[in-house]
Every structure is written in structure tokens, then in C-alpha cells.
């Protein structure tokens, strides 16, 4: 295994595994320290550095769709979600279900920075004896809630978790991150029909609306527009935001929390490959690792 | 227990019994609860029953999420739709996720009859046995069904239980005890062994009776656990009888016969024959007519036994 | 096989296999005679009699969803569609693809009355050596375009046919009949997304909106409302009609023909079991055959 | 022809060649055209190429409708998604509809490597062989792939052709002639027969070479048509060698080995062994690492051959 610089920002280190009580909300935010000790923007940049670094080390992987969803995941893991890195199966936790499993590097980065496992493990991504499988495996990595890689399955899984929380009278919130290309899958619409039918107001889906899938722009490959109207007609409360604007994301999640009796979807308009100039909107970097040279440029841009 | 009862009816009752005891039992269906008999549970525990509509893929994903949260989901529809309509979901969200999901599929085989081939599940075992980690069960009768459902509920692993539509003879009495992974010898004999599942077990017994009249003594083994196979019982049969015939309401490919053949070939090669559906779809018709037409009968088993016996060691002389 | 009265109306007999040219449209309507010789209402009643009679003879089958779509199929087979019973594979024909395959008795009745095979064969439904399988088998029966029985597949198939017609520069129209419960299936929405994406204005889907599926009312089992909005948001031209009103159906199909560049869907509001008092809105008759006694009452009502 | 080429690349080229000759050839993909190599056809014949987006079920239905209208559709995606994500569609809309649809699935087996188990197709043959009417093919190299694709295009029936991701050795020369349904004997020998498919063929040849050095002469048979099987070739191998080992990049259940075992058991029982993936999912890793880890190697074949030979007739003495 090559030794690679991991560019640990150290930003989130102070937060790891230390639960603190947000007295206002009366809720436990294990990562509440982040709110003061480091900005979400800084954390986002750290996650991006992890992503490009680990994919470069692996020699394969999916930078584009990992980078586009960084702010979404940052806001959830380092501000909004109740979770405990020292107790990943904590019954009262909020749940994050990654449906677009090829964004595994993003989730691994967020988990490592949250203290679920050492950030230096990130570099083992996709290597034969690593826990960090190319697509997430829930049985292997603490904090990974779902096994993914075949698209279209996460929302159904999230409904199951949301139903269980209701049955157990838990007020946990369930978040699931979907790709926009992934919304081609019929299973997404089966699930989209079911969630409001079951009145799952504890469920929020986020669509990473980066307008690209593998074969091209979504409007050319399989047009999903008007995407918001589709979700609306399936009974969802729809919120559209700039998915790189942390303020907009925070208030969107807050709005979703207030909606009762139905599920909410946040359509987060993003740029695939966001943060690395030559990866932005570049189809090639959906599923290609940066070379060592490209990595260095990327890290400079993300410094 | 009456003389005849459908395995799906036994399932419906067992679910209610389990539901009373364990609040974590939840049940899902895909708009077929009247036929799968999950409606009995739905009526008794409406808040723990989730109808997913005609959306089998979503049903499996929801079941997986429930299981991940500590529930024990039983998900039902026809065997032709699960695994067939949601194989990839069973693969990723259940098998690869190692989740405690119980699939109970009714209307297995061709005895769903008049609805025709779109409703005949003749390949479900080939599919479901291709999912590492799954227990795959086919009960012989209503009594065994009840016990299987109880076993599944307390064994934390994915299960697939295949039931049938028609009423079928009750073979076991209340003292019968189903053991996961174990074959059951229903008749002794050393000239050949018939290994059967589901509705073919009673036909195997019938065939053995006829053959005994001709002086051929067949062992009859029921193999309620298709996966993992009771290899010991298979090899014992192989060694003690020298000829094995399998009988199943399934394609010849990928079911009981193909699984037994691999065990035998790898450990103790002896002649075999397969009573199963050849590589074709069946038509609409009454259950019994179809069983006749597609060769799933006692006489077919008898013929297969004779064929296997005739091949014993001939080519090794 | 029991001998059962088949109640051949004989209405459509005059139309069988005789192509005639509608000079106004310049199109070939093999069944154009029907327009003068017998009313569509009468044909509809004949089809209903066939349906209950053949299902009673079979002892199993699906009367409810066959009866609810009678007017839809009547209007298509006996007025609008170009087809030739003496040349079922006529290249220029319009296509009817039954997606909700359990309504096979309805299609068989329409085909028999159109002259594809003798009406007396209808009574062999579901019997072991009959061509008339419980769900349609395209390889067995002339005029049956698709094999069905597993729900959710017909619209995709219809897209394939519609694409082929476009490739071959045929101006054929493609019709497909869906159940409303069937719209739970994700594959329907995959196809719904694709058809307008491919600009298939030669394709018209009809949803038999009888508000019931097997386990109950669709709003209770899996709520599909607002159904029209869903199709609209997937890019379709949506027309809602009373599915038992022949006039409304005729003008809806005419409207669909005029729409360019996208596909049209007709949401036909119907009553399951329509025409037989004790079957109407009666869940039991989704998939139960009438007894001999019930058959007699039904036939009296349909006389 | 270079020394190494991926079978999917050969497919991409063959499609373009076919497209030039026959205007009825149409191609479908599900957002993986860069990987399946259908993008070559898409670029050349944009109006005959349909990207279905990430909707495998719909893709199969559309292909069926196109076939019903006289087109010859080739539909491609990864082998893990077809048949797995659309089995019921392949069943009803293609197999039961008897339609002329060609499925060409790439990234078969575990050599898709680092993506991990969600992307490893280790059960596709178990599924696709459970569809009556389908021809199921696995080419040995790029040359054979081209010929298979041509054959599929002119044979009116459903086909499934399984390709792999990595570049693999080119074994045949341009004079090679693929015959549908026929096995190919690549090496003579009478101590045991190795029947292999896909990337395991070159490993089988390697194993045979090593074994010859130890005085064990193995026949090596490639079985490019998994369905229908060349039963004659299998039985000839059985009779002339008395021991068969199969080798495949697939689960032991439901693939080549299981199909050969049934033929052998039913007609000429001899000891066998199976080089295949045991009942488990593989992890992320480089293709070669995974083949090692999961026992798909020449040494594994050698060991299996010795095991099968050691069981010859022992229990019949
Ligand atoms: C069922 C399924 N089909 C195909 C693929 C292959 N695949 C992986 S990523 C991808 C494109 C995903 O696009 P999108 O959902 O928009 O993700 P993002 O743009 O965020 O990367 C495809 C087709 C898959 N993983 N699963
Ligand atoms: C994939 C699939 N799942 C389940 C079934 C069983 N089934 C047959 S009819 C039916 C209800 C259909 O309801 P709807 O589409 O509304 O038809 P209609 O009311 O017109 O009869 C169901 C669930 C099936 N045929 N196919
Ligand atoms: Mg995208
Ligand atoms: Mg309905």
C-alpha cells in the first residue's frame, strides 16, 4: 500500500466521539462541538481532500458524484444528525442511508472525520483487505447503514427504517441521498409512492441534482425534468436549493422537519465534481480516478 | 389437523400465532394478502402489516430496512414474483446486507394452474439458491410449514420458504419436529433413494409403494431444507442405495436435483435421474392435469427409479 | 367441456375480416361496417356477455377488471383501430397491447367478435388444450400482441413497438391498457419517463381507473392519487374521461391523435365489474368466477 | 488481432459491423454504454441506439417490443443488472413471448474487481439458464465473441452472451469457427477432462500443461454454449476420461458445473469436481487478487483434477 498524504484537516477531530447536549433542543448532538470549533465550509473542504486523495490511492472510484454531495453530507453529519461514533448502533440516532453507493468515498470521509474509524484508513479504499469496499457494505464499516452499489434501492430501505422508528415511537429522522440519474429507476417511484402513503414525515430524501449520469447529461440520456413536479405529484413536500450553499441546505432541512404527515424531498442543485476545476461537469470524472499529477492540482485547489 | 390443508393456510395461522408472542414480527405483502394468507395477520395486527401495493421491489427494500432496525419482517407474494421480480433487491438489500428478512412465497410450481405460465413459479429455487446466506425451505405439508415459520422467526438470517396453492395431504403428525438443515427419511429401502420436496413427497411415497410390489425397495427422503443441503443424508443414500432420483415441482435446472447432483458427483458418483419440469413453460390447466402433462407423477418417479437402477455400475464393469 | 350458451350477439359478425376504406381519412378500417350496422353500445354488451360466460365456464378468471374496460376496448377494436382479422400481422395495423393481462377474457371476446377466431372457442378459456390461456400468450392466439400476466410490463413493450413504427416510418398508432393498481409498479414509471423522452406521439396509454386492486381500494392499499398529475409530471398529455361513455372515449382518442411530440394517456374512470349489479365495485369479483346461478342473473342484466 | 483484448471491445466492434449490414439491428443500453462498448454503435447509428437510462426493466420491455416488430435488438448492461435487475421482464416479455432479443452483458464474474460485490456477477448463469428458450453463451476470447454476436444476429431466438471486463488472452486464430451448441476440444488427454468457460479456459490449459509434467494427461474442453449443452461432448469426455472437472467464474450453484453434473449423473455417472465460487460474495480488490482469493486459478484446477481422479471407481471396487 502506498503511503499517501491524507491532508487531515484536523478540523473535526475535536468533535470525535464526544457527545454534547444541545440544551435548546434537548437533543444529543455528538458533533455539536463542530458548530463552534470549525466551520462547515472548512469541513466540506476537508472531505473533498479526502475524497480525491483516497480515490487517487485506490486507482479507481467515483470522484464526480462524491464531490457534488459534499455539502449535503457535511451539513447532516456535522450539524444536524444525532449520531455517536462511539456507539454506531445507538437506538436514538438519526439515520443516513446512502442510496447512490458509488459516492462511498464521501461517506467514508464523513465517518472517519466523525470518529467512526481512523482517517488514515481511508487510504485503503478498494484494496483487497480493506473494510472500505468500492460500494458501501453495512456489515463491514461502523456507521454505514446500508449496503449499496446497485442503484435505486436506498429509498425503499429508508422507508423500512422510518416505519420501524414509527413503530418504536422514536423521533429519529431518516435521510437518504439519491442520484438524479438514479431517479430513472422504477423502484425509486415505487418507494416515492409509498412513503407519503405511510405518512412518513420522519423521512427526508435528498436528490443530488448534478444533471449528469454516466452516458451524459440527464436531459439527453433520460430526461427527468420537471423533477420537482414529479416528486410533488407523488405526494412529497418538495424543497429546491443550491446544494453547495450550506445556509440554504440548513434551512431546507429545518423546513423538512416541520412538515407533518408527509415526506420531504430536497432537490439539491449541484455541480458534479464540485471543487476541483477540471472535474466540474466533466463526465470523465464520474468514474475515473485522478492521476498523481491531477491529484496534486486538486489538492492545491482544495487547500 | 384435517387430512388436507394448504401450506399457505398454515402459514397464515402461524403468522398470527407468532404475532401474538413477538411484537417485533411485522408482515408485508404486495397486493396478494388474500391469496398468501397474510390477511389473517393484517386483520389481527393492522399496525404491523404493510401492504406495498403491486411493487415487489419496494417491498423487499422496506423489509430490509425494517430488519436493519431490529424488526422481523415476513414478506409475501407469489413465488413467481419473488424472487423473479425483485432478485437484485434480494441480492443487495437482503443477502449482501446480511439482513434478517423472511420471504414466504406462495403458489410455487405449476399447481397454481389455470392462471397459466406467467403465474407458474418453476425457477424460483434456481434463483434463490444463488443468494449466499439464504436458507431455502420447501415444506412437505401444513404441519411442517408451521414449524418452519417458527424456526425462521427465531433464526437470524434470510429465509425463503416456498408454499403451494392447493390443499395438500397432511403427512406428519403433531409430534413431528422439523430440524433446519436435516433431511427426513420417510421410508427405508436400499435399492434406490427418492429425494423429494413439496407436493412431490407424497408422490414419491406412492411410487415407492408401487415399486415395492415389484420387489424394488426405495428409500424415500424428504429434503425440506434445500439450502444448505443435508449432504450427509444424501451421501448416506448414495452409498447405501447406489441410485438416486430427485423429484420436485421445478425446472430440472437449478433446483433440488441439480444441487443433489453436484454433491453426489463431488463425493460419491452414482447414477441419478431427475423428475422435474423439462426446459419448457407449462400451459393453463387444472393443477392435476398439469402435473400429469409435465411428468410430475408417481409413475414418472417409478420410471426414473428403474432407469437409475439400470445404470448402476454398468459402465464400471 | 360443458356446452354453454355463448350469446353471440352477431352484431359484429358483419364486420369480420372485411376491410373497407374510410374515404375521408384515407385509412383502412377493417371494421368500419360496425359504424353503421351496429352500435358500439350493443357490441359492448355482447363483449360483457362473452366475458361472464367464458369465465363461468372456466370456473376461474377475472371478471371485474375485464368488465370495467369493455367500452375502452370496444371503441378501439370496433371503431378506431386499423386491423385485419384475416391478416393479424398486417404491417400497417394499429397495435393494442394489453398490459393488465388478467383482462384476457375481454381481449379474447373482442378478437373473436372481430373475426380472429370463432366465438365458440371462447368457452375453452383456461382449459388444458385451449389456446386461450389464463393470461394472454402472443405466440398462441392471432391478434394477441403481447404476453402478459405479470403486471407492469406492457407500457415498455408498447414503447418498443412505437419506436419500431417510427423507425419504419409507419403511421400506426399504439394503444396499451393498464390497470390503476398496476401503476404501483416501478416499471410503469420507468416507461412513463421514457415515452415522452423518445417523443412517442404515436403511443396512447389508457389507465382503467376503477379504483380497486386485489387487496382493496387503491387509495387504501397504495394511493396513486393524484394520478393525472403524476402522468403530467412525467411529460404526458393527460385526458380524463368517463371510461364507460363511448362519446367521451372517442373524442379522447381523437384528441390524443392530435397531440404531437409527446405521448398521451387517457385516465378512464370506470367501475370494476361494470354492467353486472352484484359485481360492481365488489372486490370479490376481481378474481372469482360467477356460479351458474350468478351467471344467469348476469346474463339477464346484460340482455 | 492483438495478443490480448477484452471480449466487450470485440462486441462493440461486432455491433458496428452488423449495423452496417443490417438496418434492423438496433441497440439498447442502460447508461453504461461507455463500459459495455455499445457507444461505438451509438456513435455510428444514433437513430438506432436507445439509451434507456438507469432503467433495466424498461430496457428489456422495449427490446421485446422492438423484436415483436421485426427489429433485432441487442440490449446491454453489466451482467449483474441483467438478468438480476430484470429477471421477470426477461421471463415474461422475452422468454415466454418467444422474442428475438439479444442480451449481451458485460462485466461478468468477479473480475470487475474493485467495485465490490454489488458489481460482481456470480449468479447470472443460474438465472438465465432458468429461462426456457434462451441460448446462453460465454466466449473464450475476443475472436469467439465476434462470431457469437454474428451468430446471435442471424438466429431468431433469445440469446444471452456474457462478456468480461478485463483484457483477456486471444486464444483462437482467425480461422476459428464458432458453432452454436458445440464444445471445442482444445487439448487431448484421457486421464481427466477439464470443461471450462470464459477466462477459465486459459487457466484450464495452464493447469493441463502443469499436470502433464506430472504425467496426468487432461483433455481441455471449452463449452462456449452453456445452454443448450453439448451433451455428446460431455458424455464422450466422461466415458473416455472417467473424471470431469468444470471451471467457471460463477457460483458453484446453477452454472456450468451444475449443468454438466446433471448430464453426467443422468447418463454416465463419474466423479467430478467443481472449480467455482463457493457460496459467498467476494470483496473489492484487483481482478487477479480476487481470482486467487476465491480459488479460480490453475493450481485450484490441478487440485480438483487430482481429487476427481482419486475418486475414480474407488467406491465401486
Ligand atoms: C441498477 C444499476 N444500474 C446501473 C449502475 C451503474 N451506474 C453506476 S453510477 C451510474 C450513474 C449514476 O448517476 P447519478 O445517479 O446521477 O449519480 P451521480 O451523478 O450523483 O454520480 C450508473 C448508471 C448501477 N450502479 N446500478
Ligand atoms: C407483478 C405482479 N404482481 C402481482 C400480480 C397479481 N395481481 C393480478 S391482478 C392484480 C391487481 C391488479 O389491479 P389493477 O391493475 O387495478 O387491475 P384491475 O383493477 O383493472 O383488475 C394483482 C396484484 C401480478 N399479476 N403481477
Ligand atoms: Mg447525477
Ligand atoms: Mg384497478
Amino acid at each position: 500500500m502506498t503511503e499517501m498524504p491524507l491532508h487531515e484537516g484536523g478540523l473535526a477531530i475535536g468533535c470525535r466521539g464526544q457527545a454534547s447536549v444541545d440544551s435548546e433542543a434537548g437533543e444529543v448532538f455528538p458533533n455539536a462541538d463542530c458548530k463552534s470549533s470549525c466551520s462547515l465550509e472548512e469541513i466540506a473542504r476537508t472531505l473533498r481532500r479526502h475524497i480525491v486523495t483516497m480515490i487517487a490511492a485506490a486507482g479507481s472510484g467515483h470522484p464526480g458524484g462524491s464531490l457534488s454531495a459534499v455539502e449535503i453530507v457535511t451539513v447532516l453529519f456535522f450539524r444536524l444528525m444525532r449520531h455517536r461514533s462511539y456507539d454506531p448502533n445507538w437506538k436514538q440516532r438519526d439515520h443516513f442511508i446512502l442510496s447512490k453507493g458509488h459516492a462511498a468515498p464521501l461517506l467514508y470521509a464523513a465517518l472517519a472525520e466523525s470518529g467512526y474509524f481512523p482517517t488514515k484508513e481511508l487510504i485503503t479504499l478498494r484494496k483487497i483487505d480493506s473494510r472500505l469496499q468500492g460500494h458501501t457494505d453495512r456489515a463491514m464499516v461502523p456507521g454505514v447503514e446500508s449496503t449499496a452499489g446497485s442503484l435505486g434501492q436506498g429509498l425503499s430501505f429508508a422507508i423500512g427504517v422510518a416505519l420501524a422508528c414509527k413503530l418504536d415511537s422514536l423521533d429519529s429522522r431518516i435521510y437518504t441521498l439519491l442520484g438524479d440519474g438514479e431517479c430513472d429507476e422504477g423502484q425509486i417511484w415505487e418507494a416515492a409512492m409509498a412513503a407519503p402513503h405511510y405518512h412518513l414525515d420522519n423521512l427526508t430524501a435528498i436528490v443530488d441534482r448534478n444533471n449528469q449520469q454516466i452516458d451524459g447529461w440527464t436531459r439527453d440520456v433520460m430526461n427527468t425534468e420537471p423533477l420537482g413536479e414529479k416528486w410533488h405529484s407523488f405526494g412529497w413536500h418538495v424543497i429546491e436549493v443550491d446544494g453547495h450553499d450550506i445556509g440554504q441546505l440548513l434551512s431546507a432541512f429545518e423546513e423538512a422537519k416541520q412538515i407533518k404527515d408527509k415526506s420531504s424531498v430536497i432537490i439539491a442543485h449541484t455541480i458534479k465534481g464540485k471543487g476541483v476545476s477540471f472535474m466540474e461537469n466533466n463526465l470523465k470524472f464520474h468514474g475515473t480516478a485522478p492521476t498523481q499529477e491531477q491529484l496534486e492540482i486538486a489538492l492545491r485547489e482544495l487547500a | 389437523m384435517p387430512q388436507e390443508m394448504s401450506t399457505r393456510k398454515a402459514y397464515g395461522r402461524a403468522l398470527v400465532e407468532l404475532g401474538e408472542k413477538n411484537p417485533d414480527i411485522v408482515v408485508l405483502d404486495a397486493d396478494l394478502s388474500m391469496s398468501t394468507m397474510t390477511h389473517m395477520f393484517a386483520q389481527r395486527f393492522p399496525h404491523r402489516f404493510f401492504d406495498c401495493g403491486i411493487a415487489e421491489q419496494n417491498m423487499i427494500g422496506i423489509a430490509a430496512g425494517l430488519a436493519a432496525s431490529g424488526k422481523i419482517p415476513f414478506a409475501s407474494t407469489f413465488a413467481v414474483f419473488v424472487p423473479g421480480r425483485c432478485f437484485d433487491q434480494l441480492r443487495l438489500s437482503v443477502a449482501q446486507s446480511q439482513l434478517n428478512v423472511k420471504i414466504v412465497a406462495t403458489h410455487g410450481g405449476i399447481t397454481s394452474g389455470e392462471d397459466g405460465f406467467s403465474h407458474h413459479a418453476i425457477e424460483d429455487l434456481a434463483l434463490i439458491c444463488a443468494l449466499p446466506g439464504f436458507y431455502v425451505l420447501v415444506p412437505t405439508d401444513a404441519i411442517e410449514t408451521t414449524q418452519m415459520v417458527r424456526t425462521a422467526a427465531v433464526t437470524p438470517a434470510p429465509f425463503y420458504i416456498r408454499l403451494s396453492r392447493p390443499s395438500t395431504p397432511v403427512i406428519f403428525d403433531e409430534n413431528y419436529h422439523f430440524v433446519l438443515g436435516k433431511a427426513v427419511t420417510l421410508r427405508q429401502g436400499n435399492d434406490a433413494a427418492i429425494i423429494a420436496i413439496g407436493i412431490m413427497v407424497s408422490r414419491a411415497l406412492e411410487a415407492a409403494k408401487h415399486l415395492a410390489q415389484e420387489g424394488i425397495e426405495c428409500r424415500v427422503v424428504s429434503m425440506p431444507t434445500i439450502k444448505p443441503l443435508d449432504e450427509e443424508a444424501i451421501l448416506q443414500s448414495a452409498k447405501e442405495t447406489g441410485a438416486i432420483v430427485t423429484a420436485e415441482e421445478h425446472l430440472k435446472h437449478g433446483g433440488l436435483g441439480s444441487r443433489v447432483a453436484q454433491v453426489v458427483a463431488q463425493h460419491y458418483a452414482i447414477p441419478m435421474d431427475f423428475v422435474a419440469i423439462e426446459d419448457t413453460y407449462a400451459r393453463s390447466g387444472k393443477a392435476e392435469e398439469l402435473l400429469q402433462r409435465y411428468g410430475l407423477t408417481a409413475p414418472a418417479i417409478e420410471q426414473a427409479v428403474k432407469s437409475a437402477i439400470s445404470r448402476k455400475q454398468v459402465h464400471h464393469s
Side-chain angles (χ1 to χ4, degrees), chain A, chain B:
Chain A
M1 251 170 256
T2 359
E3 273 296 310
M4 301 278 292
L6 261 180
H7 298 268
E8 291 197 29
L11 323 163
I13 289 176
C15 317
R16 274 193 212 144
Q18 296 165 9
S20 69
V21 176
D22 179 317
S23 51
E24 228 175 83
E27 287 175 358
V28 182
F29 290 100
N31 300 303
D33 283 0
C34 295
K35 283 190 274 190
S36 48
S37 73
C38 47
S39 80
L40 292 171
E41 282 79 5
E42 277 174 280
I43 298 176
R45 215 158 35 242
T46 304
L47 298 189
R48 286 201 161 89
R49 287 197 298 271
H50 282 315
I51 290 167
V52 292
T53 305
M54 70 177 119
I55 294 177
S60 69
H62 300 83
S66 297
L67 291 170
S68 59
V70 164
E71 280 79 10
I72 298 163
V73 164
T74 299
V75 157
L76 287 172
F77 274 80
F78 300 95
R79 177 65 57 85
L80 297 174
M81 273 170 43
R82 292 178 302 182
H83 62 125
R84 291 176 171 169
S85 58
Y86 60 91
D87 184 10
N89 298 320
W90 180 36
K91 189 92 184 159
Q92 274 77 32
R93 76 190 182 279
D94 295 328
H95 300 263
F96 177 78
I97 289 140
L98 180 68
S99 188
K100 42 172 263 188
H102 57 283
L106 166 58
L107 178 56
Y108 296 150
L111 289 172
E113 281 296 336
S114 299
Y116 285 82
F117 55 84
T119 50
K120 70 174 187 302
E121 194 175 331
L122 291 173
I123 209 164
T124 67
L125 177 73
R126 292 176 161 247
K127 304 237 163 85
I128 180 96
D129 281 311
S130 173
R131 298 188 288 184
L132 305 183
Q133 298 293 295
H135 296 77
T136 55
D137 177 350
R138 64 183 295 281
M140 278 202 189
V141 186
V144 168
E145 299 245 3
S146 73
T147 296
S150 175
L151 291 166
Q153 303 197 27
L155 186 56
S156 303
F157 189 94
I159 290 175
V161 175
L163 286 172
C165 288
K166 292 263 181 192
L167 284 172
D168 293 341
S169 304
L170 294 168
D171 70 346
S172 305
R173 296 202 60 80
I174 295 88
Y175 299 98
T176 181
L177 178 62
L178 315 177
D180 54 353
E182 188 179 12
C183 293
D184 298 350
E185 278 292 353
Q187 190 184 350
I188 293 290
W189 301 103
E190 293 181 359
M193 200 183 276
H197 181 70
Y198 298 140
H199 309 290
L200 294 176
D201 48 19
N202 54 350
L203 173 65
T204 303
I206 308 101
V207 180
D208 181 0
R209 186 49 158 158
N210 58 28
N211 296 305
Q212 289 194 335
Q213 51 200 117
I214 294 184
D215 280 346
W217 295 95
T218 57
R219 69 167 168 271
D220 300 325
V221 178
M222 181 53 62
N223 185 20
T224 40
E225 280 300 333
L227 189 56
E229 269 185 45
K230 286 188 176 63
W231 286 90
H232 179 78
S233 72
F234 274 69
W236 291 63
H237 178 73
V238 181
I239 310 169
E240 307 222 11
V241 297
D242 175 342
H244 301 306
D245 183 320
I246 282 172
Q248 285 189 31
L249 283 167
L250 284 171
S251 49
F253 282 114
E254 189 50 45
E255 180 179 333
K257 235 180 187 165
Q258 304 308 324
I259 300 295
K260 292 297 156 217
D261 223 43
K262 55 166 136 177
S263 315
S264 294
V265 60
I266 297 172
I267 299 184
H269 294 274
T270 61
I271 291 167
K272 205 155 171 174
K274 173 75 177 180
V276 179
S277 58
F278 57 89
M279 289 185 177
E280 289 193 2
N281 285 329
N282 184 347
L283 281 176
K284 187 189 152 194
F285 283 102
H286 167 81
T288 311
T291 62
Q292 190 56 39
E293 202 186 327
Q294 288 170 327
L295 172 64
E296 277 160 28
I297 303 172
L299 289 176
R300 267 201 301 279
E301 293 184 6
L302 294 168
Chain B
M1 192 52 78
Q3 271 201 299
E4 291 224 327
M5 194 201 254
S6 70
T7 49
R8 64 192 165 117
K9 191 163 174 187
Y11 168 54
R13 291 184 181 179
L15 273 186
V16 173
E17 171 207 301
L18 287 173
E20 302 280 4
K21 284 190 208 146
N22 187 344
D24 283 334
I25 302 277
V26 295
V27 176
L28 301 94
D29 206 301
D31 199 26
L32 283 168
S33 70
M34 294 300 167
S35 301
T36 63
M37 299 293 168
T38 62
H39 71 95
M40 295 162 74
F41 184 96
Q43 206 159 12
R44 182 78 188 76
F45 307 104
H47 297 293
R48 287 194 267 146
F49 175 78
F50 304 102
D51 205 320
C52 301
I54 313 171
E56 295 78 8
Q57 302 184 98
N58 190 38
M59 175 171 75
I60 299 306
I62 295 178
L66 283 160
S69 306
K71 303 297 166 198
I72 305 172
F74 280 77
S76 288
T77 178
F78 290 172
V80 79
F81 303 127
V82 52
R85 191 61 175 245
C86 46
F87 182 83
D88 195 41
Q89 288 74 21
L90 290 170
R91 180 183 196 269
L92 186 86
S93 292
V94 181
Q96 295 184 337
S97 298
Q98 301 178 35
L99 282 167
N100 189 26
V101 172
K102 321 297 174 186
I103 308 294
V104 183
T106 68
H107 295 60
I110 55 176
T111 44
S112 49
E114 291 89 343
D115 276 341
F117 59 28
S118 65
H119 283 61
H120 296 158
I122 60 174
E123 65 290 278
D124 57 320
L125 299 177
L127 272 64
I128 205 82
C129 289
L131 293 168
F134 256 90
Y135 284 96
V136 180
L137 311 182
V138 184
T140 299
D141 71 358
I143 299 243
E144 193 170 47
T145 303
T146 309
Q147 298 195 17
M148 279 181 175
V149 174
R150 288 185 196 140
T151 301
V154 297
T155 311
F159 273 73
Y160 179 81
I161 307 182
R162 181 211 224 199
L163 308 180
S164 0
R165 189 188 78 148
S167 287
T168 46
V170 173
I171 287 184
F172 298 114
D173 63 26
E174 300 285 354
N175 299 321
Y176 172 74
H177 182 53
F178 166 73
V179 183
L180 190 58
K182 287 283 166 234
V184 183
T185 304
L186 295 171
R187 184 188 174 111
Q188 293 295 347
N190 285 333
D191 292 330
I194 309 170
I195 304 181
I197 53 171
I199 62 157
M200 296 308 289
V201 172
S202 55
R203 283 154 201 263
L205 287 167
E206 200 186 317
K209 216 153 96 185
H210 292 164
L211 287 166
Q213 288 162 3
E214 302 182 38
I216 301 171
E217 291 299 337
C218 285
R219 177 174 311 191
V220 177
V221 176
S222 112
M223 190 65 70
T225 310
I226 311 293
K227 190 179 174 191
L229 272 180
D230 185 345
E231 299 201 358
E232 213 179 289
I234 292 170
L235 294 178
Q236 201 184 338
S237 288
K239 286 175 192 164
E240 294 175 6
T241 72
I244 289 180
V245 166
T246 57
E248 63 196 305
E249 194 188 352
H250 188 274
L251 282 178
K252 189 170 151 185
H253 167 82
L256 172 72
S258 105
R259 295 177 63 73
V260 170
Q262 280 189 288
V263 173
V264 165
Q266 196 166 9
H267 298 289
Y268 198 86
I270 51 153
M272 286 185 65
D273 214 330
F274 306 97
V275 174
I277 300 167
E278 289 297 331
D279 194 40
T280 184
Y281 291 112
R283 2 179 3 123
S284 287
K286 288 194 206 317
E288 198 51 54
E289 286 171 341
L290 295 180
L291 293 172
Q292 291 285 338
R293 175 81 51 110
Y294 297 95
L296 303 181
T297 60
I301 296 173
E302 292 160 38
Q303 213 181 317
V305 166
K306 288 178 188 169
S307 160
I309 288 177
S310 77
R311 279 179 277 119
K312 276 195 195 179
Q313 306 224 8
V314 170
H315 56 277
H316 301 291
S317 58

